[in-house]
Amino acid sequence: MRKLVIVFLIWDLCSCSENIRKEGVIKTWPNGVTKVERVHLAADTFLVKHYNEDFKLYMKGKTILRDGQEVKHGTWESYYPNGRKWSLNTFVEGVENGIYKTWHPNGNLNISGHYSMGSSTGVWTFFNGEGVIVKTFDATPGN
């Protein structure tokens, strides 16, 4: 009986972490097209790609495992359906930290700013669709 309990405990622990550590296609759209795929890079680091229903890349970035959870780590990029870049954001263990940018559908810069451990900081700049600055402000705490 004791061996049986140990076997079930080991199986349960493995099955819980299996979803987090699973590689390859991990989700599909109802039409069978890949929705999310994951590639193991090294140790606890994975490359994760999200796709639209027409299999065009929507978002990609790296994740790491922290306390049994998968969190964003490093640069994450998102794309418009036409393939142009929509956003770029950087993370450290799931917290926004570093460059943040978005682009208009025509490819011109929309927002440019910076995060420091989850808080916006420094000068943030907003552009209209033609690339003209429409607003800037200093988001540094205390300003």
Side-chain angles (χ1 to χ4, degrees):
M1 178 70 169
R2 186 173 183 187
K3 286 182 183 179
L4 186 59
V5 170
I6 292 172
V7 168
F8 278 118
L9 284 174
I10 291 171
W11 178 79
D12 188 44
L13 288 172
C14 292
S15 65
C16 289
S17 63
E18 180 182 332
N19 292 334
I20 294 173
R21 297 180 182 273
K22 188 174 179 184
E23 291 186 65
V25 176
I26 58 171
K27 290 183 184 176
T28 57
W29 289 99
N31 64 3
V33 171
T34 299
K35 185 174 186 177
V36 180
E37 71 177 340
R38 183 182 292 125
V39 177
H40 184 236
L41 299 175
D44 63 352
T45 305
F46 296 84
L47 174 63
V48 179
K49 294 181 180 179
H50 297 256
Y51 297 93
N52 292 315
E53 285 186 86
D54 60 0
F55 200 61
K56 288 186 180 179
L57 185 62
Y58 167 69
M59 181 172 36
K60 71 176 179 178
K62 293 179 183 175
T63 62
I64 59 173
L65 297 176
R66 288 296 177 258
D67 301 322
Q69 298 294 316
E70 186 176 57
V71 297
K72 293 178 179 180
H73 188 75
T75 302
W76 274 76
E77 298 174 338
S78 297
Y79 303 90
Y80 286 106
N82 67 5
R84 286 191 179 189
K85 193 179 288 187
W86 175 69
S87 70
L88 178 138
N89 203 351
T90 48
F91 294 84
V92 172
E93 296 187 5
V95 177
E96 291 175 307
N97 191 60
I99 296 170
Y100 175 85
K101 290 184 179 185
T102 63
W103 288 266
H104 290 283
N106 66 6
N108 288 336
L109 194 59
N110 182 19
I111 301 171
S112 177
H114 191 270
Y115 281 98
S116 179
M117 296 312 292
S119 297
S120 55
T121 188
V123 176
W124 283 65
T125 308
F126 297 79
F127 302 84
N128 67 16
E130 287 74 46
V132 177
I133 295 173
V134 294
K135 181 178 180 180
T136 62
F137 72 91
D138 190 343
T140 304
N143 284 338

